[in-house]
Amino acid sequence: MAELPSDLPSSGAPPSLQPPLWRQLQLTAVALASIRAGTSGSVAFEAVEPALRPGVQALGFQVLRWLGRAEALRRHLAKRTPPPLPDALLCTALALAWDSERAPYEPFTLVDQAVEAAKRNPATRAQASFINACLRRFLRERDELVAVTDSEPVAQWNHPRWWIERLKRDHPREWQRVLAADNAQAPMTLRVNARKSTAASYLVELEAAGLSAIRVGPSGLQLARARPVQQLPGFAEGACSVQDAAAQMAAPLLLDGLLPATPGGAPLRVLDACAAPGGKTAHLLELAGPDAIDVTALEVDAVRSRRIDETLSRIGLKARVLVADAARPADWWDRKPFDAILLDAPCTASGIVRRHPDVRWLRRESDTAQLAVQQAALLAALWPLVRPGGRLLYCTCSVFREEGSQQIDAFLVHNTDARLLPSPGHLLPQSGSNARGVPDNPSGDHDGFFYALLEKRPH
C-alpha cells in the first residue's frame, strides 16, 4: 500500500518569496474542509497549486495530527458550530497554536494571520469577527482551556473515540504508545536496489552528497531529514526507492527459502496481488536476481496500475502487469499454480496514520468489518492458486487485529491444508517487538503492519 513519505520538506524558497502566512492558512482550511467532507488528504492537497503545496501540506498535516484537540477547544469557545469553511479555518488556527512548543509560528502570529485569512476570503469574511473573538479569547485563556480539554480522550489522543477504544481492546499494553506514535512525523526510509548496490555502499554515496542516514534492516536506510527524491544519488536510475522499513519486510519473507529458482532452471511463478504502486513488486524482482522469478502484478484500478509500470520502468525491471480483480481469478488466471503469492490486502491503513494523518478522520468504525470481509474473500480466492508446498504472504498496513491475527486465525480454521510459518505478526508503529511473532524482529522506526506467512501442505 502507500509507501511514499507524506510530510514533504519545505520548498526551500527564500523567506521573501514565501507566500504570506494568511494565504497558507486559507488554503490549509480549504483542504481541511474538503477532508471533513470525505476527500482523501492526497487529493485535497493535490488541489493546491504546486508552488504553495509543500508549505500548505506541512501545515495541514500538523492540523490533522492535532484536530481532536482543536475541535475540543472550539466547542468550549463557540456555542454553535460555524459553517464548514469558517470552522475549518478556526480549527486550523487552534490546532497550530494550542501548544506553543509545537507551534510552527508564535501563537499570536497564527491568530493574527488566521483573522486576516478570514477577512480576505468572501466565503469567511462574514465570520471574521467571530473567529477573531474566539481566537483572542483562546490567547487569554489558553492554559485553562487546554487543561479542561485534557480530560477528553479525543482531545488528548487526537483520534476518534471508536479508534481509541478498539486499540485498547486489541493492544491493551501498547495502545497509548501507538496513539502517541501516530502523532509523530514518520521518517523517510529508502530501500537500496540490491541489483545495483548495497545499503553500506549507498550510505557512502549519501554521505558524499551531504545526506545523513542510518541503516535499518538488510536493505534500508533511514534519512535524518526528508529530502526530495531528486536529491538522492541515482534515484532516477533506480538506485533506491522510498519504502517504509516495515513494508521492506514483505519480499524477503515471501522469497526466503524459495530461492534459488526451482530445479531445471524454471523461474518461480510469483503473484503480487493488489500491487500498486509497485514498491513490493520491484523489491521482489530486485532480490530474486535475473531470470529467477516470473512476476504477475495485479491492480484493479487502471490509473493506479500505471504507477506499477512507472516504478518498474525507473528501476529497469519487468513484470506482467494486469488490470484485474484479484478476487476473480477466472478473469485473469492461466490455470498454472503459483509458487508464491503476495497479498497486500486493502485495509483501514490504521498502521500508516503518521504518514497519512487524514486516515483517522476519514475512517468509520464500520469500515473495519467491511474490509475484513473483503480480505477474507481475497484469501479464499487466491489460496487455491498456490501450489502444494508453495506460500502465500498475507499483509496489511493495519494495527487492528480484525484485519490481522483474527483474520488469519479464522483462515487457518477453515483451511486445514494451510500452515502458519514463523512470521512477524503485528508490528506496531515505531516498535519491532510483538508477543506473537518471531522473537528476533529488528527494532526500528517503522509503520504499523501485519504479516502472516502461510504454506500449503503437500498432498
Side-chain angles (χ1 to χ4, degrees):
M1 301 192 64
E3 292 160 357
L4 292 177
S6 30
D7 283 38
L8 297 177
S10 66
S11 63
S16 60
L17 299 180
Q18 293 281 4
L21 180 55
W22 64 261
R23 179 59 177 154
Q24 295 183 68
L25 293 174
Q26 275 185 343
L27 295 172
T28 303
V30 169
L32 175 58
S34 181
I35 291 166
R36 282 173 157 177
T39 302
S40 74
S42 58
V43 173
F45 292 115
E46 193 70 23
V48 180
E49 60 182 284
L52 302 181
R53 191 178 302 146
V56 171
Q57 182 164 303
L59 290 175
F61 274 40
Q62 184 162 345
V63 169
L64 290 164
R65 290 188 176 113
W66 306 110
L67 186 58
R69 175 73 69 169
E71 291 179 343
L73 290 168
R74 189 257 292 139
R75 284 193 294 273
H76 287 276
L77 291 166
K79 294 181 180 179
R80 296 181 181 178
T81 303
L85 190 55
D87 184 54
L89 180 57
L90 177 56
C91 287
T92 291
L94 291 170
L96 295 173
W98 79 275
D99 184 343
S100 57
E101 292 185 3
R102 294 188 177 99
Y105 301 91
E106 288 294 327
F108 178 84
T109 301
L110 286 164
V111 167
D112 178 74
Q113 291 294 289
V115 175
E116 186 70 15
K119 292 176 180 177
R120 286 175 177 261
N121 187 344
T124 55
R125 190 174 297 147
Q127 299 286 329
S129 296
F130 164 78
I131 291 172
N132 181 58
C134 288
L135 292 177
R136 300 297 171 183
R137 180 187 164 197
F138 163 75
L139 287 178
R140 293 192 306 271
E141 305 175 19
R142 182 173 59 182
D143 292 346
E144 295 88 343
L145 288 166
V146 169
V148 168
T149 56
D150 275 340
S151 62
E152 302 177 32
V154 175
Q156 182 182 4
W157 297 110
N158 290 282
H159 287 68
R161 186 178 294 273
W162 70 265
W163 190 301
I164 298 169
E165 294 304 318
R166 181 178 288 270
L167 275 180
K168 284 183 180 179
R169 294 195 305 270
D170 285 357
H171 305 287
R173 288 182 297 178
E174 296 103 346
W175 66 273
Q176 292 176 312
R177 180 167 56 83
V178 172
L179 291 171
D182 283 352
N183 290 327
Q185 181 173 330
M188 183 173 180
T189 304
L190 309 180
R191 185 191 74 241
V192 179
N193 185 347
R195 296 267 192 116
K196 295 179 179 288
S197 184
T198 65
S201 296
Y202 192 71
L203 180 58
V204 173
E205 291 188 55
L206 287 175
E207 291 172 346
L211 305 178
S212 179
I214 58 171
R215 293 282 300 273
V216 286
S219 303
L221 294 170
Q222 181 183 308
L223 295 177
R225 181 166 164 260
R227 303 278 184 166
V229 293
Q230 296 83 358
Q231 295 181 14
L232 303 176
F235 180 84
E237 294 74 37
C240 70
S241 299
V242 180
Q243 188 179 45
D244 181 75
Q248 290 186 36
M249 298 175 69
L253 272 169
L254 184 61
L255 295 180
D256 185 37
L258 288 178
L259 292 173
T262 53
L268 289 172
R269 282 174 53 83
V270 178
L271 172 67
D272 185 358
C274 315
K280 296 183 184 70
T281 306
H283 198 190
L284 288 165
L285 292 163
E286 291 168 9
L287 285 181
D291 304 317
I293 60 174
D294 177 12
V295 178
T296 299
L298 294 184
E299 175 54 47
V300 70
D301 186 300
V303 174
R304 283 174 54 80
S305 74
R306 289 200 288 272
R307 295 188 61 190
I308 305 174
D309 292 318
E310 292 167 0
T311 297
L312 296 178
S313 175
R314 181 179 63 82
I315 61 175
L317 296 175
K318 293 183 179 180
R320 183 173 175 239
V321 180
L322 300 178
V323 178
D325 185 350
R328 298 171 56 91
D331 296 344
W332 52 266
W333 186 41
D334 61 7
R335 306 296 173 184
K336 297 177 183 177
F338 289 98
D339 298 291
I341 294 178
L342 170 58
L343 173 55
D344 186 5
C347 68
T348 56
S350 57
I352 57 173
V353 171
R354 58 187 190 154
R355 295 185 190 279
H356 300 277
D358 57 307
V359 166
R360 71 189 89 178
W361 308 116
L362 289 170
R363 288 296 181 201
R364 299 292 177 264
E365 186 171 10
S366 58
D367 290 347
T368 310
Q370 293 172 2
L371 284 160
V373 170
Q374 187 177 354
Q375 293 152 9
L378 283 164
L379 278 167
L382 295 175
W383 184 244
L385 280 57
V386 180
R387 68 163 171 83
R391 298 174 175 179
L392 184 150
L393 178 63
Y394 172 82
C395 58
T396 62
C397 54
S398 174
V399 294
F400 296 148
R401 291 198 180 277
E402 190 170 0
E403 301 180 281
S405 56
Q406 292 174 12
Q407 183 72 258
I408 293 302
D409 288 345
F411 178 82
L412 291 170
V413 167
H414 294 99
N415 294 272
T416 56
D417 60 344
R419 181 167 72 102
L420 180 63
L421 298 179
S423 312
H426 282 280
L427 294 168
L428 301 180
Q430 294 184 327
S431 169
S433 62
N434 69 89
R436 295 185 49 150
V438 294
D440 57 349
N441 282 331
S443 61
D445 194 343
H446 55 66
D447 291 340
F449 243 80
F450 175 82
Y451 283 110
L453 183 60
L454 302 166
E455 182 181 66
K456 182 171 284 189
R457 301 177 193 273
H459 295 310

